Amino acid sequence: MTDKKLVGLFETFLAKDNLFAEKRALQTNYTPSVVVHREEQTQQIAKILAPALRMDKPSNLFVYGKTGSGKTLSVLHTLKNLSDVAARQKIAVKTVYVNCKLKKVADTEYRLIAQIARDLGQEIPATGLPTQEVYQLFTRVLDAKEQLLILVLDEIDQLVKKTGDEILYTLTRVNAELKRTQVALIGISNDLIFADNLEPRVKSSLSEEEIIFPPYNALQLQDILRSRAKVAFREGVLETGVVEKCAAFAAREHGDARRALELLRVAGELAERNGAGVVKMQYIDEAEEKIERERVFDIIIAQPKQHQVALHALLSLFDRQKDAISTGEIYDRYKQHCTRLGFRPLTQRRISDILAELDMLGIINAKVLSKGRYGRTREIRIAIADQMVVRAKEILEKELELK
DNA sequence: GTCAATTCACATGAAAGAGACCACGGTCTAGTG
DNA sequence: CTAGACCGTGGTCTCTTTCATGTGAATTGACGA
């Protein structure tokens, strides 16, 4: 049975001119062939890594910079060129890239080492083995043949925050145990003061070299957007000023190129869905709102049940009073909700942490405030727009099967 | 009026427990020749 | 005899609880002018 309406919709979709030529170019995991406005940094990285081609261990390198400032891109770009040369000259240089933030992949000591070992071709189960054994397996594959390994640890600050800096110490020291292989480390961090909290011995051996990536300014962002847009969109579908506007938006947010590209992509998608032949300025505003809305709702849906109960308690408190509320009030309301839902309530200690997490996620704004004789508490406000609060509550109620 | 001590209501840290998940090795069982 | 099912042990990892300690300014109360 064919649905004529749907068929019609699909057919007009096909018949319509597609705005995108290659949408991939705007997605975050896309690696362009040219890295715009990062010549200086890629040169530096290249100089530091070049000794690898003579099988000398390059200095360990530490790369800092805010999100979307091109760190990962530049490092990977340089490494790719390096391994191309190495492959052509038959030099045994191997590169492994691990993102330490990826949950369930590389966010603990065990998983990080296991992940690296897997990249080197060693099968390692997701759990069950003692960490020591994983280390042994790891050093064994590593030392199996003569080679030079360049190990990139992205978002290394996340890893250290979670598990401490011993892993880094072990990794910087691993060369002493290896007979045939040498390992060079590249750490990438969003957190500029991260290294200050490291143990001195780790810090000195990890950051033998340092490169700092400054945020892009609006003009640079424009260039980046233009170069990507040229690949991603078809000729002439961008209204003049669109690129500039995207760049301006992103420049306001500490020059995050990723944001700028996302904005442009979503604006394009909106235009396409509305059947517009051109990406107009107005779509950028809509795109910004849409991105924000989806970010918030995605976060809410992804939260564990207990977090959702806490959040719902928080939101419902805001119906009554518009000003800030305290941890204690939320906890009381939360306990009521739990009994109503048949959940076992968590302790206040835990709720305190959950509120801190929600703060990190940008759903709420929490400020620790001392009110003298009246104690000390988080002063909590909602960080999302009013019309979204209503929708958020509905989502939560559905998730919790409330009412 | 000034100043230090007190006090509140939590925040923040550390450690340890519960329960889910998993690998490994040993034992049991059923199927095969 | 052997492959596979099943069990117990020991490991990781996440989420929590328990216990302990920290915090910062409004309030209090002693003191002196």
Side-chain angles (χ1 to χ4, degrees):
Chain A
M1 194 176 96
T2 55
D3 186 331
K4 285 203 182 116
K5 265 192 203 159
L6 283 182
V7 170
L9 192 148
F10 288 138
E11 275 171 355
T12 43
F13 175 85
L14 271 181
K16 218 183 315 177
D17 261 354
N18 192 348
L19 292 178
F20 290 105
E22 198 178 345
K23 206 195 306 187
R24 240 167 22 93
L26 294 177
Q27 270 147 8
T28 43
N29 52 7
Y30 177 79
T31 327
S33 50
V34 190
V35 182
V36 185
H37 285 300
R38 286 298 182 227
E39 294 81 10
E40 197 186 316
Q41 282 83 359
T42 42
Q43 285 284 320
Q44 275 187 53
I45 299 172
K47 275 181 199 152
I48 292 166
L49 295 183
L53 293 172
R54 288 202 208 101
M55 294 303 279
D56 292 329
K57 180 188 135 3
S59 301
N60 290 335
L61 168 64
F62 212 106
V63 177
Y64 299 100
K66 295 222 167 136
T67 36
S69 56
K71 306 179 295 292
T72 308
L73 187 60
S74 304
V75 168
L76 288 181
H77 180 76
T78 317
L79 279 182
K80 174 153 190 314
N81 286 294
L82 179 84
S83 20
D84 282 354
V85 175
R88 229 176 297 137
Q89 309 273 333
K90 305 242 171 359
I91 305 167
V93 174
K94 170 110 180 124
T95 64
V96 170
Y97 168 85
V98 190
N99 187 329
C100 304
K101 203 175 83 180
L102 291 180
K103 294 235 161 162
K104 314 274 179 191
V105 177
D107 57 345
T108 69
E109 184 177 13
Y110 180 102
R111 300 216 260 242
L112 174 66
I113 302 299
Q115 185 58 37
I116 301 168
R118 274 195 282 264
D119 278 352
L120 294 168
Q122 169 77 39
E123 282 298 316
I124 293 190
T127 165
L129 295 182
T131 308
Q132 267 312 307
E133 195 149 337
V134 179
Y135 265 113
Q136 274 168 27
L137 287 170
F138 167 64
T139 43
R140 190 141 27 93
V141 240
L142 203 52
D143 221 11
K145 57 182 176 197
E146 194 163 326
Q147 60 182 341
L148 206 144
L149 176 70
I150 299 177
L151 181 57
V152 185
L153 301 177
D154 203 348
E155 317 236 12
I156 198 171
D157 44 333
Q158 301 286 328
L159 180 72
V160 171
K161 203 164 78 190
K162 259 193 85 174
T163 64
D165 50 13
E166 282 144 60
I167 315 166
L168 297 185
Y169 182 63
T170 325
L171 279 176
T172 52
R173 238 188 25 176
V174 76
N175 283 321
E177 286 170 37
L178 298 171
K179 292 194 192 68
R180 292 190 277 189
T181 298
Q182 295 268 293
V183 182
L185 287 174
I186 301 180
I188 303 181
S189 161
N190 296 328
D191 185 355
L192 299 167
I193 54 165
F194 154 75
D196 297 343
N197 305 325
L198 286 177
E199 236 184 283
R201 56 177 186 178
V202 178
K203 191 184 170 189
S204 62
S205 57
L206 185 61
S207 49
E208 291 166 346
E209 300 276 354
E210 286 184 5
I211 297 180
I212 293 174
F213 279 62
Y216 296 111
N217 63 33
L219 289 176
Q220 292 170 326
L221 284 171
Q222 283 179 26
D223 290 342
I224 294 168
L225 285 171
R226 268 193 213 101
S227 78
R228 297 274 191 115
K230 206 157 53 176
V231 185
F233 288 102
R234 313 174 87 192
E235 283 276 324
V237 296
L238 292 183
E239 200 180 63
T240 41
V242 163
V243 165
E244 287 76 6
K245 190 163 178 184
C246 279
F249 261 124
R252 242 178 17 207
E253 308 227 351
H254 60 256
D256 186 343
R258 205 174 304 166
R259 283 290 294 241
L261 291 166
E262 192 186 11
L263 205 56
L264 190 58
R265 175 175 57 83
V266 174
E269 284 169 1
L270 283 172
E272 190 172 65
R273 205 166 306 160
N274 289 341
V278 200
V279 182
K280 295 206 195 86
M281 298 279 256
Q282 80 192 66
Y283 289 122
I284 296 175
D285 295 311
E286 280 177 40
E288 213 208 358
E289 203 200 303
K290 178 166 185 244
I291 290 170
E292 174 64 9
R293 200 180 335 127
E294 279 176 4
R295 186 185 70 85
V296 170
F297 293 155
D298 284 353
I299 289 175
I300 290 177
I301 290 170
Q303 292 301 302
K305 283 277 175 287
Q306 288 286 4
H307 293 229
Q308 292 183 342
V309 179
L311 186 58
H312 188 263
L314 197 160
L315 291 180
S316 65
L317 266 177
F318 262 90
D319 283 351
R320 313 264 166 98
Q321 41 182 92
K322 272 288 172 194
D323 46 335
I325 42 183
S326 69
T327 307
E329 289 172 89
I330 293 173
Y331 186 61
D332 288 342
R333 173 59 67 95
Y334 158 80
K335 272 198 294 193
Q336 290 170 21
H337 276 229
C338 279
T339 40
R340 196 141 51 91
L341 289 163
F343 280 43
R344 197 171 53 84
L346 302 177
T347 52
Q348 181 154 345
R349 175 73 187 80
R350 185 83 251 275
I351 296 301
S352 176
D353 278 349
I354 289 177
L355 291 175
E357 282 167 40
L358 291 174
D359 183 25
M360 289 281 286
L361 291 170
I363 307 281
I364 59 176
N365 271 326
K367 208 166 73 185
V368 179
L369 206 70
S370 198
K371 293 206 271 199
R373 195 65 199 273
Y374 306 105
R376 186 179 151 81
T377 183
R378 279 205 175 79
E379 200 169 71
I380 294 162
R381 291 164 208 285
I382 294 188
I384 56 182
D386 280 2
Q387 64 273 25
M388 275 166 66
V389 171
V390 182
R391 185 83 187 89
K393 268 181 77 177
E394 284 168 18
I395 290 176
L396 280 172
E397 274 156 25
K398 204 172 118 208
E399 286 283 313
L400 297 166
E401 287 158 32
L402 208 83
K403 286 165 193 169

